[in-house]
Amino acid sequence: AAIRDGVLADAVLDRTFIDDDGTRWIIDFKTGDHQGGRPEAFMDSELERYRPQLTRYAELLYALEPRPIKLALYFPLLDGWREWQWAPATPERSPP
């Protein structure tokens, strides 16, 4: 749990670690079975579905310890993996 924007935020991470390069990984396991066709398209759609959740995890952990972060979804039943680099939002600059 952490305070985010003045509100208590709760998060349960499946797996997180820091690799040899100093990058924090946050991995979310998706163990549901996909019965339809096109598993690649299914995993791509799940990435978009869960991107906000993993982004929230990244924001919470970055606030505690700023370092590079990679996010990933792991689909063990599909032998599938989706990963992406996360970067903190930069505040918009006002024109001079």
Side-chain angles (χ1 to χ4, degrees):
I3 302 294
R4 182 177 176 208
D5 298 327
V7 177
L8 181 64
D10 225 3
V12 178
L13 306 176
D14 289 345
R15 178 91 163 103
T16 185
F17 62 90
I18 298 168
D19 68 16
D20 291 338
D21 295 327
T23 298
R24 174 175 296 283
W25 284 84
I26 302 171
I27 302 170
D28 200 33
F29 289 72
K30 298 300 171 198
T31 57
D33 192 15
H34 174 64
Q35 298 295 325
R38 302 185 31 157
E40 295 297 320
F42 169 74
M43 289 185 284
D44 290 343
S45 70
E46 291 294 275
L47 185 153
E48 293 309 317
R49 178 179 174 192
Y50 288 102
R51 184 184 299 270
Q53 175 185 331
L54 270 72
T55 295
R56 185 170 63 91
Y57 295 165
E59 290 167 348
L60 290 170
L61 289 177
Y62 189 82
L64 296 173
E65 181 183 41
R67 66 172 57 244
I69 296 177
K70 286 192 175 181
L71 304 171
L73 294 178
Y74 175 47
F75 303 86
L77 297 177
L78 299 174
D79 194 27
W81 177 262
R82 294 292 182 269
E83 72 178 59
W84 65 102
Q85 182 78 38
W86 175 85
T90 56
E92 292 184 32
R93 293 186 178 181
S94 306

